Amino acid sequence: LAVHVTGPGLRYVGRAATYTVNVLNDGTVANNNVRATYKVPEGFQFVSADRGGKYDAGQRTIHWFLGRMEGGQTSQVTCELTALGQGDFQHVCSVISDSGVKAEGTVATSVKGAASLSTEIVDLNDPVEVGVETAWEIRVKNEGSKAASNIAVVCELPDHVQVISAKGPTQG
C-alpha cells in the first residue's frame, strides 16, 4: 500500500481547508479490509469527512473503511478541517490491511494569523451647528487573529472645519 496526502501548505486562522488522502495498492495481490486513519493535529478542528469517515473526538482521528483493494487499485477520501491556532502542523494518515500491510503519508501546513482592521466614525453631536465645537470619535478594531502594528489614523477635514485638539493612545 502507498499513501499520498495533499492539502494546503499555508492556511490562515479561522479558514477551512480540504485534505485529500490517496491510497494505492501498489502490489499485485489484493489487500482485504483496508482501513485509513487520519490524525487531526492540535490547532485544527474537524468539520467533515466524506465516504462514511467517522471522527473520534477523544483520539482526534478520522477513520475510513476502504474495504478490499485489488492490485493497482486506488481509493480516495477527503476531510475538511478548520485552522484554529498559528504554527506549523503535520497531517498524518496511515493505512493498514488485514494482512498487516501498512503505509503512512504526511503533509505539512503552516497556519498564520492575519490582522483585520475595521473603523467606525461616530459623531457625538448631531446635528452639528455652524460655529459650534463638536467632536467625532474614531474607533479602530482589530477583528483578526494577529496583532496589528504601525497603525496610523489619518483624517481629511472639509473646508471651513479646523482641528482644535485630538487625543488617543498616541499623540495626535
Side-chain angles (χ1 to χ4, degrees):
L1 295 173
V3 181
H4 183 68
V5 182
T6 59
L10 174 65
R11 239 332 145 247
Y12 290 95
V13 173
R15 300 291 175 104
T18 299
Y19 292 87
T20 302
V21 177
N22 289 295
V23 180
L24 166 66
N25 181 350
D26 56 355
T28 57
V29 177
N31 276 287
N32 291 314
N33 297 318
V34 177
R35 299 168 306 280
T37 301
Y38 189 103
K39 179 70 174 163
V40 177
E42 294 292 334
F44 278 82
Q45 178 180 25
F46 173 78
V47 176
S48 66
D50 71 346
R51 295 194 50 201
K54 305 286 186 216
Y55 180 61
D56 180 340
Q59 298 293 315
R60 299 186 56 77
T61 53
I62 307 166
H63 301 275
W64 289 274
F65 179 74
L66 304 178
R68 180 179 175 92
M69 291 185 67
E70 299 294 333
Q73 182 181 350
T74 62
S75 187
Q76 184 180 80
V77 293
T78 63
C79 62
E80 185 176 342
L81 309 173
T82 299
L84 298 178
Q86 297 180 57
D88 295 321
F89 301 93
Q90 277 292 92
H91 296 258
V92 179
C93 185
S94 58
V95 294
I96 189 167
S97 71
D98 271 358
S99 60
V101 176
K102 297 178 184 178
E104 186 174 275
T106 64
V107 66
T109 300
S110 181
V111 179
K112 307 284 185 197
S116 178
L117 300 178
S118 64
T119 58
E120 177 183 18
I121 299 175
V122 178
D123 56 342
L124 300 178
N125 302 314
D126 201 11
V128 177
E129 297 179 43
V130 175
V132 175
E133 289 184 15
T134 190
W136 285 277
E137 185 174 277
I138 301 171
R139 300 174 183 158
V140 179
K141 183 178 181 183
N142 183 359
E143 297 173 338
S145 56
K146 181 180 179 183
S149 60
N150 298 321
I151 309 291
V153 175
V154 178
C155 297
E156 185 176 322
L157 300 176
D159 292 339
H160 309 295
V161 174
Q162 70 182 60
V163 174
I164 296 173
S165 69
K167 58 184 170 183
T170 61
Q171 180 66 29

